[in-house]
């Protein structure tokens, strides 16, 4: 980490609603308290860990076994997957979901205007990223915390060669119970089932109810609404710059295999990821850019 706690505190000086703490040594986070909500954001991965409107239970799920270890993916909140989603297209030995989630980002600014806190982070290449991805880029993550949560990832090609990327805002949503939700917004679209060898797109006829392992890339530009019957609320996930939505839940057996997840954790979350995945892989030309954005919030259950 190149920015010290003193550096971070100096950038946030004058905004007492944004403070820096270190839940683990060498793993700083920004604690945000707005008049309408609260959030925690890690410098590692520019990863939103928690967010909820005041007096509401958590909207994001974080595994109680999540590791706050530099260079390791932290299971929960909103990891940013970039410059590839899932396995690297040619080299499965490279880290899953790219490197953006396992690097420290630079804090550029943080402020609070009215009810809205805005925090901006940046990531640029270094020798380690060049070894994994030999291109130049500038990533800017702008996180707006208010009565809704907005995460905007701007990716810019600062080099001289074109390249393709895939990515995801890999949102872990906290649930009352996985079997007591209805996921709306994917009905009528096609998905590729990542659990099947058959990569032929499958038509989604109905709203989704999850009764087993799911790992799907939906070809969809629509927002998703999760009706959570146990929590008497709906959670919406709006998006822009994305033609694919990933829905993932590891279910019983895989939860046991995932070391940083309690065995029964699969009941408490679903990932709904605003993505550029599958055939949705934007090309970044020299000086070209692409923006992936998600907005998450609560609605009454209807
Ligand atoms: C999802 C993928 O986005 O992330 C799944 O579709 C994957 O295939 C899951 O298992 C979790 O990935 P990771 O690397 O954070 O364990």
């Amino acid at each position: 980490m190149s920015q010290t706690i003193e550096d971070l505190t100096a950038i946030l000086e004058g905004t007492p609603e944004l403070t820096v703490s270190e839940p683990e040594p060498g793993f700083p986070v920004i604690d945000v308290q707005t008049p309408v909500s609260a959030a925690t954001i890690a410098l590692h991965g520019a990863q939103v860990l928690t967010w909820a409107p005041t007096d509401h239970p958590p909207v994001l799920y974080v595994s109680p076994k999540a590791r706050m270890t530099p260079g390791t993916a932290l299971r929960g909140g909103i990891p940013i997957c970039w410059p590839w989603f899932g396995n690297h297209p040619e080299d499965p030995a490279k880290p899953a979901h790219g490197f953006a989630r396992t690097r420290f980002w630079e804090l550029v600014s943080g402020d609070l205007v009215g009810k809205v806190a805005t925090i901006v982070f940046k990531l640029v290449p270094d020798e380690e990223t060049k070894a994994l991805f030999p291109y130049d880029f500038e990533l800017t993550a702008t996180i707006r915390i208010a009565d809704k949560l907005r995460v905007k990832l701007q990716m810019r090609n600062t080099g001289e060669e074109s390249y393709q990327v895939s990515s995801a805002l890999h949102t872990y949503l906290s649930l009352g119970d996985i079997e007591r939700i209805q996921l709306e917004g994917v009905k009528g679209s096609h998905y590729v089932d990542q659990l099947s060898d058959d990569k032929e797109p499958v038509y989604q006829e109905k709203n989704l109810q999850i009764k087993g392992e799911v790992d799907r890339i939906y070809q969809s530009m629509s927002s998703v609404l999760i009706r959570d019957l146990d929590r008497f609320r709906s959670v919406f996930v709006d998006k822009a710059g994305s033609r694919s939505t990933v829905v993932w839940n590891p279910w019983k057996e895989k939860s046991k295999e995932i070391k940083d997840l309690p065995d029964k954790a699969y009941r408490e979350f679903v990932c709904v990821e605003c993505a550029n995945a599958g055939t949705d892989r934007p090309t970044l030309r020299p000086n070209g850019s692409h923006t992936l954005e998600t907005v998450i919030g609560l609605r009454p259950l209807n």
Side-chain angles (χ1 to χ4, degrees):
M1 191 188 46
S2 53
Q3 285 173 306
T4 63
I5 298 292
E6 291 70 33
D7 296 335
L8 301 170
T9 307
I11 293 168
L12 301 176
E13 205 187 347
T15 311
E17 297 84 358
L18 272 56
T19 51
V20 181
S21 65
E22 246 182 330
E24 290 290 336
F27 201 93
V29 300
I30 302 175
D31 300 296
V32 183
Q33 185 65 61
T34 79
V36 291
S37 64
T40 315
I41 298 150
L43 271 289
H44 188 261
Q47 186 167 343
V48 181
L49 302 181
T50 66
W51 171 75
T54 311
D55 298 330
H56 281 270
V59 178
L60 303 178
Y61 173 84
V62 181
S63 168
K65 292 171 92 178
R67 290 166 292 187
M68 289 186 169
T69 309
T72 303
L74 190 158
R75 193 164 304 282
I78 312 185
I80 297 178
C81 306
W82 196 91
W84 58 86
F85 169 83
N87 286 334
H88 186 277
E90 284 101 41
D91 184 355
K94 290 188 175 170
H97 290 323
F99 52 77
R101 65 175 178 166
T102 52
R103 319 236 359 124
F104 282 105
W105 290 49
E106 181 196 335
L107 174 66
V108 177
S109 63
D111 61 29
L112 179 85
V113 178
K115 294 178 180 169
V116 184
T118 306
I119 303 179
V120 180
F121 298 95
K122 193 162 279 189
L123 187 70
V124 291
D126 60 17
E127 271 175 31
E128 286 177 30
T129 67
K130 280 273 164 81
L132 294 166
F133 183 70
Y135 300 105
D136 287 316
F137 62 85
E138 184 180 74
L139 294 186
T140 308
T142 306
I143 300 168
R144 295 186 73 195
I145 301 130
D147 58 344
K148 300 182 198 89
L149 172 69
R150 180 186 295 255
V151 178
K152 184 161 92 175
L153 176 68
Q154 287 164 299
M155 35 193 115
R156 198 161 70 82
N157 180 351
T158 52
E160 280 161 16
E161 276 174 83
S162 293
Y163 53 83
Q164 273 190 310
V165 292
S166 54
S167 57
L169 303 172
H170 192 309
T171 306
Y172 285 76
L173 296 169
S174 171
L175 306 175
D177 184 282
I178 187 77
E179 291 197 73
R180 302 251 309 139
I181 64 156
Q182 194 171 57
L183 195 149
E184 300 180 353
V186 291
K187 182 172 136 185
S189 63
H190 288 80
Y191 66 86
V192 171
D193 189 347
Q194 303 224 79
L195 302 173
S196 159
D197 291 334
D198 184 357
K199 294 302 168 211
E200 205 45 48
V202 181
Y203 183 67
Q204 177 74 41
E205 270 181 50
K206 296 183 184 159
N207 289 326
L208 184 62
Q209 283 185 306
I210 300 179
K211 307 276 179 205
E213 187 179 356
V214 202
D215 191 352
R216 298 177 179 178
I217 302 178
Y218 283 92
Q219 297 161 353
S220 167
M221 293 170 72
S222 303
S223 302
V224 164
L225 184 79
I226 292 173
R227 302 180 70 241
D228 185 331
L229 305 182
D230 273 13
R231 292 226 173 125
F232 302 106
R233 71 180 190 188
S234 295
V235 182
F236 64 85
V237 182
D238 290 346
K239 61 176 189 159
S242 156
R243 294 172 178 275
S244 41
T245 299
V246 178
V247 178
W248 177 64
N249 181 284
W251 211 252
K252 214 175 279 181
E253 294 311 319
K254 218 162 256 175
S255 276
K256 286 186 191 157
E257 288 166 21
I258 300 178
K259 289 197 181 60
D260 54 355
L261 209 52
D263 289 359
K264 294 202 171 126
Y266 72 94
R267 303 207 70 88
E268 297 170 27
F269 76 89
V270 63
C271 288
V272 175
E273 310 169 34
C274 152
N276 295 129
T279 52
D280 174 23
R281 293 182 76 209
T283 298
L284 298 184
R285 301 190 196 288
N287 209 26
S289 64
H290 177 74
T291 301
L292 184 64
E293 187 170 353
T294 191
V295 179
I296 296 155
L298 297 179
R299 289 211 182 110
L301 187 66
N302 53 21

